């Protein structure tokens, strides 16, 4: 059986509050040192383990999303990055009963309405960070969007990253298409579209970056895309067809 992690832990953690939505996302473009990067951060007090912000960043030249997590104190954000699958499972999926210490995290950012500045400690030196806010999504009260909101998901393959384009429709905010991006070239190899009525793709009550997940079974190149449908939601699975060179829906 092909398996994936449907974020049960995330669903449990994020179900503690009742409001219109649960996503407060800000997207940034900028530099770490002289390397162009993209950042996406989601703020939420209910992630568990003392974590109040989760997100992802990638260097434009590599296009390999790196999960991050941390804490927000006023306009200061401290972020750690995930370095391996074990750490990803332990911190972002299972969570810690004792809380996560972020004081030694390598990213320190100062955020304002236009962007963020700060530095990252790479172990040898501090690299300056300058980021410009380019888009935002907030559905915690009214459905608000600014800019083009494109979410780089934590899931990836050796050759591809997945990026969801979120838009506002008459029935709310949702992912209207999933882009399969070639890491080497940056080209969009495939776009998977979703209807905007009902508007429910990519909106399951988890960290937004978990709305696309890769199969755990490493022998199968497949992904699961989560949809909100009341209650626990549902998932559609896609497997990569090497002849078509595309992900094809299986369920």
């Amino acid at each position: 059986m092909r398996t994936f992690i449907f974020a049960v832990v995330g669903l449990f953690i994020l179900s503690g509050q009742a409001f219109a939505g649960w996503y407060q996302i800000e997207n940034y473009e900028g530099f770490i040192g002289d390397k162009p990067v993209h950042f996406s951060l989601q703020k939420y007090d209910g992630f568990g383990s003392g974590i109040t912000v989760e997100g992802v960043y990638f260097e434009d030249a590599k296009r390999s999303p790196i999960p991050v997590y941390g804490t927000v104190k006023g306009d200061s954000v401290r972020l750690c990055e995930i370095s391996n699958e074990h750490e990803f499972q332990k911190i972002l999926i299972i969570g810690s009963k004792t809380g996560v210490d972020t004081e030694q995290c390598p990213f320190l950012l100062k955020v304002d309405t236009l962007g963020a500045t700060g530095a990252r400690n790479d172990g040898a030196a501090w690299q300056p960070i300058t980021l410009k806010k380019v888009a935002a999504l907030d559905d915690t009260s009214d459905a608000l969007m600014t800019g083009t909101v494109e979410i780089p998901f934590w899931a990836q393959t050796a050759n591809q990253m997945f990026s969801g384009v979120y838009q506002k429709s008459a029935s709310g905010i949702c992912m209207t298409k999933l882009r399969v991006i070639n890491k080497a070239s940056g080209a969009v190899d495939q776009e998977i579209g979703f209807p905007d009525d009902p508007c429910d793709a990519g909106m399951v009550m988890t960290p937004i970056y978990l709305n696309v997940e890769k199969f755990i079974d490493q022998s199968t190149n497949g992904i699961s895309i989560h949809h909100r449908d009341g209650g626990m939601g549902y998932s559609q699975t896609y497997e990569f067809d090497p002849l078509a060179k595309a992900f094809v829906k299986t369920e």
Side-chain angles (χ1 to χ4, degrees):
M1 177 181 290
R2 295 164 177 76
T3 55
F4 54 87
I5 308 163
F6 192 87
V8 175
V9 174
L11 284 162
F12 175 77
I13 290 173
L14 294 179
S15 62
Q17 298 184 22
F19 43 55
W22 47 85
Y23 290 143
Q24 288 182 299
I25 314 294
E26 293 183 341
N27 284 0
Y28 302 88
E29 296 176 1
F31 294 86
I32 299 178
D34 60 356
K35 296 179 179 178
V37 295
H38 279 71
F39 259 87
S40 180
L41 298 177
Q42 177 182 353
K43 297 177 183 177
Y44 187 75
D45 290 337
F47 284 126
S49 306
I51 295 171
T52 55
V53 59
E54 293 184 352
V56 62
Y57 85 96
F58 62 90
E59 295 180 12
D60 292 9
K62 296 180 179 179
R63 303 179 188 87
S64 293
I66 299 172
V68 294
Y69 66 92
T71 52
V72 179
K73 294 181 180 179
D75 60 356
S76 295
V77 179
R78 176 77 75 167
L79 294 172
C80 278
E81 56 187 88
I82 297 291
S83 60
N84 56 62
E85 181 65 22
H86 173 75
E87 191 176 25
F88 176 78
Q89 295 290 329
K90 180 179 179 181
I91 296 175
L92 297 183
I93 301 300
I94 299 173
S96 170
K97 294 181 179 179
T98 59
V100 175
D101 182 13
T102 62
E103 288 302 313
Q104 302 305 313
C105 289
F107 287 94
L108 183 58
L109 300 175
K110 182 90 51 185
V111 179
D112 59 31
T113 57
L114 299 179
T117 58
R120 176 185 181 274
N121 191 330
D122 66 1
W126 286 91
Q127 300 173 307
I129 299 175
T130 56
L131 300 173
K132 176 184 177 182
K133 186 163 71 172
V134 294
L137 181 160
D138 187 339
D139 73 340
T140 58
S141 54
D142 296 327
L144 303 174
M145 295 187 71
T146 58
T148 301
V149 178
E150 193 161 344
I151 299 298
F153 294 106
W154 287 334
Q156 60 185 299
T157 70
N159 301 315
Q160 301 146 324
M161 67 172 284
F162 304 96
S163 183
V165 177
Y166 282 72
Q167 295 178 320
K168 186 176 179 179
S169 74
S171 56
I173 293 174
C174 64
M175 177 171 62
T176 57
K177 54 188 171 184
L178 177 69
R179 289 174 172 160
V180 181
I181 299 174
N182 187 297
K183 287 183 177 181
S185 67
V188 178
D189 288 343
Q190 181 183 2
E191 282 192 347
I192 301 172
F194 308 100
D196 59 11
D197 187 17
C199 188
D200 64 6
M203 295 298 288
V204 170
M205 207 170 188
T206 68
I208 198 168
Y209 313 99
L210 269 177
N211 273 297
V212 173
E213 298 188 77
K214 188 177 181 299
F215 288 153
I216 296 173
D217 181 359
Q218 297 300 316
S219 65
T220 303
N221 195 356
I223 57 173
S224 175
I225 301 171
H226 302 321
H227 295 249
R228 175 181 58 196
D229 184 28
M232 295 288 286
Y234 68 97
S235 296
Q236 291 181 334
T237 59
Y238 294 73
E239 290 187 26
F240 187 76
D241 184 333
L243 294 178
K245 297 182 179 180
F247 285 88
V248 178
K249 185 164 66 172
T250 59
E251 296 179 15

